[in-house]
């Protein structure tokens, strides 16, 4: 556990200097320390084995899951998992016929692997040789193979020593039956997969990014794809005991999808996904040992779903909370600009437009007069105005009478100047009719920076404009008449 | 040692078959639209994720059949669709992945709830997966027309509901499935239909849950419609065909569940599982042998074409021989001239003899006797064969002439004409003839024979 | 006016696809809608039909809201937008055009079947009527789509790239069909790619590149200067603005 963490940290930390990676390395060390130093006090030896084994499984599953997700093959893992059931049953039949112990993992897992791979190949074959689409092919393989498995299991249950075969344990997962060599098996398989991934990182990267480029450059895309399928099958097989065939797909899909909320780059995604898979699997295993009636697969999936939800809410990239915060911020900024402009336009209309120099306070105005230039509700106007007062842009003189402060005048002039310059640009260069201009300018001015403003000045008015505010191109107050036309009024 | 014997209890087995047919047909009707809209995995997702809804209902009412169970399942089914859309939209993952997240999460939740409920309700987690159709006739109620299993009644209602949905909204479904954009422009929201379909999938999954469980119901949703898709060309026919296939699979499935294990000395196995296996076998047959796109059918057709080309090549060869005044040719001669293999040529010749185009003659009449010491038979054209061959050679030479007039190099026209001659009908020959001004000979100077009826 | 669009803006992820589009198309014109890739041509058609959310602006068709004139508008989507493995015959597809007027529940009457029949006749695919659509060539598929639109018996036709990757015979058939529609007084708006055939096929032109660059009768509008502005025109500030929006959002957490 610890060594894998260090190895991973060393391999990737140097190449891809990403913060999340170092964090990952540290977190992994901490976690493995926790397992190794604290568990003897609380957990018995068998539990330790289970926890270490499942967390390794989560680690490798998370890594492979990202690749499956990027290849848009996430659910092939589900088809493979269900297709292992007839393999388990057949292996048991064959072993019993040959008078070998049919419950040995060394008999059952190869059987599961064979039908699992056959299932994956059947999906590909159906897609290639018939007009059946991929989703149907996966559903078919998944349910038909599973049906065959169930039919055989029912017969096994009738065999004299079959009832105790414990093959049902593979369906929902039964960590209690996990032994030391099982954890060892998972560790070896996981390490092999991670090692191969590191070895073929370039091929994998190119294949996930641009398959056609990879093909034209002569990369063996099909071979890498087959490798990916083999790795997926391996994860599924070694995970059968811990998670069970119904829910093993969660270990491939959920960590990978959760990682997408934290980073957009390939290797950090793989690292984050492995980390999430590791934590989820370990905690799920611990829960299921403490509450023995809870199937371990279900416990792991529930923890993974919680981690996913957390990522979807708070993930740095596109997390819901951040998205909402951003939208709120945008709306605030837009509102601010709109109100400042409205004040200017109203004062201009009254013949007392504020000046950027010398004036410490603008002429006063009634807040509800602004409704004439911008059809906002009185509540929204009042709320924005109150915020401006806190920010020192507006001054409340009496109940309904307000004035701009010096800072307010400055901001106000800047906002209106930007807006009108852009209007001029659209009218002169982008060839739009004047009545359409206002909304176009509305839409984009909030993204103008100083350099672009300077370019606009140069392009439109040359030096003649100086720092003055250009006159409006359209009669002020017609915003309302434009607005009532639009059916789908939505604030961008 | 007891002799295995198929024993049927007509009441029990009869109801098992009826329940199986009802469940299969209900699912297959909806499945057509799932398969065509590429939503096959939606059935997998919904049939898994209804589990917490069911479990909640069990916990509340301690009863397997209740309106609570139905409402719970529908609610969770719709939540599945909604969450899947949401995750796909904001998580930038494809539909498969977002489906995988939602249904595993909900299924896991349901499992934990069932374990908690197990004290109060008799529910085996394994039954969740493959149901217990063998026991469902035992839970029956007495009605005025006799004792009827509860599942049969529930599934009949479900079947009626699905049939009504598909029949009444057939046009809406067809247009929204084929061309969602046109449907939108006509004021039909494909999204609303999507949710309606999801609701019915949830209802069907719940109703057939006890009988077939939630994995095997996926077979019933997907496989019969897929078989129908391979067999027929129109949507109404596809729906009818899927219903037929579903019913057939149910009957054969139950029979084989009883019969197959007996062959190995065991008692019967799960009917639901065997329906799944039988459907899979039907599908494999359909993929291999359907008339439209069947793998074997296409291989057979390619084979047929290759044989017919070889036969025509032999005829043309013998015709050219007769032009040079050579009477017959031996098998070995034909084989080496056409660069073929001896047994293949022999087969083709046998076909020609059978059709009466070629006759076998004794070696003495063959002028090629010296070249083949051990073959004592030669082949020559019959009158029928001559007419056939003459048209072939005519096609060949007309093509050569035509290609020469289009400016193709002379050394390449023979090879091209060699391919084209096999795909030339009388009408095309007529056209070639007039395009090249009824030539008497081809560019190599050989006479173009007249058309034979 | 067949179509009037005022100040329509459509944006995907804050990147503008259509920006303040103003457009008036007189009734009875055969209109080509031309512009470079990514100019928002298909989006404009979808926005007219209310199939994509607009940020602002209004559309009226024959002076009314689209919802009220739906039966008078026929839309021909891009051929690639549907799955041609769908189990249906050509007749089935063409008959779909009559669903809007036939209602969704009652059986089709002889009138609707006749309309489908006539539509197939007009585009010359009557002999393919019972052929499964997965056996059609690209051109035949396009003609089936056209026949479906004709069967709608609309007054306004919106066609998304009907000439994309079709054979010469189909192109001819479509053009003839468009001419006939014009003679009947119908209005047709066609997204088109091939600048060479524009002046020949259409009599009215819309040049679009995110905004409308020029709109008018073919002779006045199809000029070097307008094409230059559509294809090579300067959109630098607009590009910079959308780039700046994108950068700013990427920089935020």
């Amino acid at each position: 556990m610890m060594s894998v963490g260090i190895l991973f940290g060393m391999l990737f930390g140097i190449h891809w200097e990403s913060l999340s990676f170092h964090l990952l390395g540290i977190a992994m060390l901490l976690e493995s320390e926790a397992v190794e130093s604290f568990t003897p006090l609380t957990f018995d030896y068998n539990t330790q084995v289970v926890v270490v084994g499942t967390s390794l499984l989560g680690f490798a599953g998370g890594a492979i899951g990202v690749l499956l997700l990027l290849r848009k093959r996430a659910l092939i893992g589900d088809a493979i998992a269900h297709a292992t059931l007839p393999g388990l049953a057949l292996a048991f039949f064959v072993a019993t016929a040959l008078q070998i112990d049919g419950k040995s993992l060394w008999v059952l897992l190869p059987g599961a692997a064979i039908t699992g791979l056959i299932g994956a190949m059947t999906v590909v074959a159906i897609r290639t040789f018939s007009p059946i689409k991929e989703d149907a092919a996966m559903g078919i393989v998944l349910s038909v193979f599973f049906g065959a498995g169930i039919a055989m299991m029912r017969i096994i249950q009738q065999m004299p020593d079959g009832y105790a075969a414990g093959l049902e344990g593979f369906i929902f997962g039964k960590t209690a039956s996990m032994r030391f060599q099982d954890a060892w098996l998972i560790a070896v398989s996981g390490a092999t997969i991670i090692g191969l991934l590191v070895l073929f990182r370039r091929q994998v990267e190119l294949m996930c990014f641009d398959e056609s480029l990879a093909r034209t450059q002569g990369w063996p895309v099909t071979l890498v794809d087959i490798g990916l399928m083999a790795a997926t099958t391996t994860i599924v097989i070694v995970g059968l005991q811990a998670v069970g065939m119904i829910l093993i797909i969660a270990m491939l899909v959920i960590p990978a999808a959760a990682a997408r909320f934290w980073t957009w780059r390939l290797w950090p995604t793989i690292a984050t996904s492995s980390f999430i898979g590791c934590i989820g699997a370990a905690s799920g295993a611990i829960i299921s040992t403490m509450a023995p009636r809870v199937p371990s697969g279900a416990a792991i999936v529930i923890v993974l779903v919680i981690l996913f939800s957390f990522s979807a809410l708070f993930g740095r990239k596109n997390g819901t909370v951040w998205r909402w915060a951003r939208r709120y911020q945008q709306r605030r900024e837009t509102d601010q600009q709109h109100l400042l402009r409205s004040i200017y336009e109203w004062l201009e209309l009254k013949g007392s437009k504020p000046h950027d120099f010398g004036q410490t306070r603008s002429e006063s105005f009634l807040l509800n007069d602004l409704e004439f230039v911008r059809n906002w509700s009185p509540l929204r106007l009042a709320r924005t105005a109150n915020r401006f007062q806190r920010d020192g842009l507006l001054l409340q003189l009496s109940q309904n009478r307000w004035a701009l402060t010096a800072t307010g005048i400055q901001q106000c002039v800047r906002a209106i100047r930007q807006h009108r310059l852009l209007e001029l640009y659209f009218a002169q260069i982008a060839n739009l009719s004047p009545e359409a201009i206002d909304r176009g300018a509305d839409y984009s001015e909030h993204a103008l920076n100083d350099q672009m403003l300077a370019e606009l000045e140069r392009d439109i008015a040359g030096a003649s404009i100086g720092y003055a505010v250009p006159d409006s191109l359209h009669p002020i107050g017609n915003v309302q008449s434009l607005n009532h036309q639009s059916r789908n009024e939505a604030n961008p | 040692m007891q002799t295995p014997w198929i024993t049927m209890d007509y009441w029990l087995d009869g109801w098992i078959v009826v329940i199986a047919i009802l469940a299969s047909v209900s699912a297959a009707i909806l499945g057509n639209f799932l398969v065509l809209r590429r939503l096959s995995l939606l059935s997998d997702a919904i049939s898994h994720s209804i589990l917490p809804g069911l479990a909640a209902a069990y916990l509340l009412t301690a009863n397997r059949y209740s309106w609570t169970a139905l409402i719970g399942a529908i609610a969770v089914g719709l939540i599945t669709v909604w969450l899947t859309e949401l995750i796909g939209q904001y998580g930038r993952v494809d539909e498969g992945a977002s489906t995988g997240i939602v249904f595993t999460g909900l299924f896991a939740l349901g499992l934990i709830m069932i374990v908690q409920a197990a004290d109060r309700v008799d529910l085996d987690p394994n039954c969740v997966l493959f149901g217990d159709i063998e026991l469902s006739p035992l839970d029956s109620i007495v009605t005025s027309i006799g004792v009827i299993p509860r599942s049969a009644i529930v599934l009949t209602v479900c079947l009626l509901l699905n049939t009504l949905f598909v029949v009444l909204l057939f046009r809406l479904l067809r247009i929204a499935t084929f061309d969602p954009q046109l449907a939108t422009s006509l004021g039909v929201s494909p999204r609303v239909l999507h949710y309606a379909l999801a609701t019915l999938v949830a209802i069907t999954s719940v109703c057939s849950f006890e009988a077939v469980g939630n994995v095997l119901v996926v077979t019933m949703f997907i496989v019969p419609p897929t078989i129908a898709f391979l067999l027929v060309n129109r949507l109404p026919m596809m729906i009818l065909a899927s219903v037929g296939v579903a019913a057939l699979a149910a009957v054969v499935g139950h029979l084989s569940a009883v019969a197959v294990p007996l062959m190995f000395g065991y008692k019967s196995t799960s009917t639901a599982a065997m329906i799944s296996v039988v459907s899979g076998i039907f599908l494999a047959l359909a993929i291999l042998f359907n008339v439209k796109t069947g793998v074997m059918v296409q291989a057979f057709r390619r084979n047929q074409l290759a044989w017919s080309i070889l036969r025509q090549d032999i005829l043309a060869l013998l015709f050219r021989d007769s032009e040079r005044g050579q009477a017959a040719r031996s098998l070995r001669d034909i084989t080496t001239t056409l660069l073929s293999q001896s047994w293949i040529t022999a087969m083709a010749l046998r076909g020609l003899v059978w059709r009466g185009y070629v006759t076998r003659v004794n070696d003495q009449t063959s002028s090629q006797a010296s070249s083949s010491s051990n073959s004592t038979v030669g082949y020559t054209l019959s009158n029928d064969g001559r007419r056939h061959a003459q048209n072939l050679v005519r096609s060949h030479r007309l093509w050569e002439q035509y290609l020469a007039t289009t400016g193709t190099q002379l050394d390449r026209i023979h090879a091209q004409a060699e391919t084209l001659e096999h795909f030339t009908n009388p009408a095309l020959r007529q056209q070639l003839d007039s395009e090249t001004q009824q030539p008497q000979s081809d560019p190599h100077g050989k006479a173009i024979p007249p058309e034979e009826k | 006016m067949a179509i009037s669009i005022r100040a329509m803006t459509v944006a995907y992820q804050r990147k503008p696809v259509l920006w303040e589009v103003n457009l008036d198309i007189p009734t009875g014109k055969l209109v080509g809608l031309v512009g470079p890739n990514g100019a928002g041509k298909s989006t404009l058609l979808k926005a007219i039909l209310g199939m994509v959310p607009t940020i602002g602006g209004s559309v009226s068709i024959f002076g009314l809201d689209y919802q009220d004139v739906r039966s008078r508008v026929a839309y021909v989507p891009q051929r690639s937008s549907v799955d041609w493995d769908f189990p249906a015959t050509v007749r089935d597809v063409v008959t779909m055009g009559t669903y809007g007027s036939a209602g969704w529940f009652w059986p089709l009457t002889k009138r609707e079947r006749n309309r489908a029949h006539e539509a197939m006749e007009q585009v010359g695919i009557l002999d393919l009527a019972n052929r499964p659509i997965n056996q059609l060539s690209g051109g035949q598929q396009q003609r089936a789509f056209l026949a479906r639109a004709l069967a709608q018996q609309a007054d306004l036709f919106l066609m998304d790239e009907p000439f994309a990757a079709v054979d010469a015979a189909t192109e001819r058939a479509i053009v003839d069909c468009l001419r006939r529609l014009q003679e009947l007084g119908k209005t047709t708006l066609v997204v088109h790619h091939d600048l060479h055939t524009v002046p020949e096929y259409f009599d009215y032109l819309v040049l679009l590149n995110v905004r409308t660059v020029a709109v008018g009768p073919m002779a006045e509008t199809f000029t070097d200067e307008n094409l230059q502005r559509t294809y090579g025109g300067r959109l630098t500030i607009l590009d910079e603005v959308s780039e700046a929006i994108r950068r700013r959002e990427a920089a935020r957490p």
Side-chain angles (χ1 to χ4, degrees), chain A residues 3 29 91 95 118 134 166 246 271 286 305 347 389 413 420 457 469:
Chain A
S3 54
L29 286 180
I118 291 176
E134 174 143 14
I246 307 293
I286 292 170
V305 165
L347 291 174
Q389 193 181 22
V413 169
R420 293 203 174 152
E457 283 168 10
V469 176

Side-chain angles (χ1 to χ4, degrees), chain B residues 31-44:
Chain B
N32 287 289
F33 298 97
L34 295 177
V35 167
L36 290 175
R37 294 191 70 179
R38 308 189 184 194
L39 288 172
S40 306
L41 292 171
L42 186 71
S43 64
D44 188 35

Side-chain angles (χ1 to χ4, degrees), chain B residues 36 38 167-175 177-188 229 232-236 238 292-293, chain C residues 46 49 51 66 70 75 77 81-83 85-89 92-93 96 99 102-108 132-134 145 148 152:
Chain B
L36 290 175
R38 308 189 184 194
V167 170
L168 283 183
L169 301 185
F170 180 72
R171 254 175 253 165
L172 284 172
L173 286 166
R174 166 141 87 178
I175 202 164
T177 310
F178 174 60
D179 192 343
Q181 292 192 0
L182 181 76
T184 316
S185 83
L186 289 175
V188 178
F229 172 73
V232 298
N233 280 326
R234 298 189 62 208
L235 185 56
M238 177 172 160
K292 279 199 289 175
T293 56
Chain C
K46 288 181 185 167
L49 298 169
M51 288 161 68
Y66 172 65
R70 181 175 281 142
Y75 172 55
S81 69
V82 304
D83 174 14
D85 278 339
F86 191 86
T89 59
D92 291 336
V93 171
M96 282 180 197
Y99 286 1
W104 297 103
F105 307 109
W106 307 117
L108 292 176
I133 56 170
N134 58 6
F145 259 21
R148 186 176 69 177
Q152 274 177 265

Side-chain angles (χ1 to χ4, degrees), chain A residues 16-319:
Chain A
W16 300 277
E17 290 180 352
S18 130
L19 183 65
S20 63
F21 246 111
H22 289 295
L23 282 178
L24 169 85
I26 294 163
M28 287 215 20
L29 286 180
L30 284 177
E31 204 253 344
S32 53
E33 289 289 334
V35 170
E36 278 159 26
S37 56
F38 290 113
T39 44
L41 299 176
T42 39
F43 299 130
D44 58 27
Y45 173 73
N46 197 40
T47 312
Q48 286 177 46
V49 169
V50 168
V51 170
V52 172
T54 46
S55 49
L56 277 170
L57 179 70
F59 191 90
I64 290 299
V66 173
L67 304 181
L68 286 176
L69 201 68
L70 290 175
R71 299 284 294 150
K72 304 211 185 306
R73 295 262 169 77
L75 286 189
I76 192 90
D78 206 22
I80 293 175
H82 283 76
T84 55
L85 187 61
L88 290 171
L90 275 177
F92 184 83
F93 277 133
V94 172
T96 316
L98 296 174
Q99 316 250 310
I100 312 171
D101 175 20
K103 283 169 250 172
S104 155
L105 280 186
W106 301 110
V107 171
L108 293 175
L109 294 192
I114 289 168
T115 50
L117 273 178
I118 291 176
M121 286 190 295
T122 312
V123 171
V124 177
I126 290 179
R127 212 183 49 208
T128 318
F129 296 114
S130 79
I132 299 169
K133 309 291 182 293
E134 174 143 14
D135 63 312
M138 288 205 281
I140 289 162
V141 167
L142 181 152
S143 58
V144 170
F145 274 66
F146 192 77
I150 292 293
M152 288 189 260
M153 294 282 283
R154 276 292 177 89
I155 293 172
I156 289 178
Q157 283 173 353
Q158 299 167 17
M159 289 164 73
D161 53 349
Y163 202 69
L167 295 189
E168 290 88 354
F170 290 108
I171 295 178
F172 289 117
K174 198 184 245 175
T175 40
S177 65
M178 221 162 149
R179 276 163 303 188
F180 182 70
Q181 67 253 43
D182 304 337
W184 194 234
L185 178 71
I186 296 175
V188 172
S189 327
T192 315
I193 288 170
I194 299 287
L196 287 171
L197 192 59
V198 172
L199 200 63
F200 293 106
R201 60 187 177 277
R202 281 185 221 297
Q203 284 87 334
V204 166
E205 198 170 4
L206 193 59
M207 193 180 76
C208 289
F209 175 65
D210 186 352
E211 188 187 328
S212 47
L213 177 73
R215 276 190 202 283
T216 51
Q217 296 212 335
W219 295 102
V221 174
T222 319
L223 210 64
V224 178
D225 245 357
I226 291 172
L228 189 57
M229 284 305 113
T232 310
T233 312
T234 313
I235 300 273
V236 168
I237 302 301
V238 297
L240 282 181
Q241 258 195 314
V243 191
M245 64 186 64
I246 307 293
L247 292 173
I248 184 80
I249 181 65
M251 300 206 69
L252 294 166
V253 178
I254 300 182
R260 301 266 281 185
F261 284 103
W262 295 102
T263 165
W264 291 350
R265 292 165 59 213
L266 179 61
W267 296 103
T269 308
I270 290 179
T272 317
S273 172
S274 300
F275 175 63
I276 293 172
C278 192
I279 297 287
S283 345
I286 292 170
I287 290 172
S288 105
T289 46
M290 291 193 303
R293 283 182 52 195
V294 175
S296 56
I300 290 172
V301 173
I302 292 295
V303 176
L304 284 176
V305 165
I306 290 168
L307 290 176
F308 174 82
S309 311
F310 179 80
S311 305
L313 285 177
F314 302 104
R316 248 176 354 109
K317 305 282 181 195
N318 221 27

Side-chain angles (χ1 to χ4, degrees), chain A residues 133 316 330 333 425-426 430-432 436 439-440 443-444 446-447 452 455 459 485-488 492, chain C residues 11 14 19-20 22 54-55 57-58 65 83 85 211 213 229 234 237-238 240-241 245 248-249 252-253:
Chain A
K133 309 291 182 293
R316 248 176 354 109
Q330 265 165 13
E333 273 176 29
Y425 169 79
F426 283 128
N431 202 37
L432 291 164
R439 293 187 61 80
Y443 188 66
S444 53
H446 313 302
M452 286 155 71
E455 274 176 33
D459 282 1
Q485 276 196 352
S486 59
R487 276 189 293 113
N488 302 317
Chain C
R14 291 183 69 80
W19 191 308
E20 295 295 324
N22 289 284
T54 54
I55 284 171
S58 62
D65 208 51
D83 174 14
D85 278 339
R211 37 194 189 95
V213 179
R229 289 199 327 180
R234 45 181 307 171
I237 288 284
L238 289 187
E240 273 181 45
V241 169
I245 292 172
R248 195 172 63 166
E249 297 195 344
R252 293 224 179 116

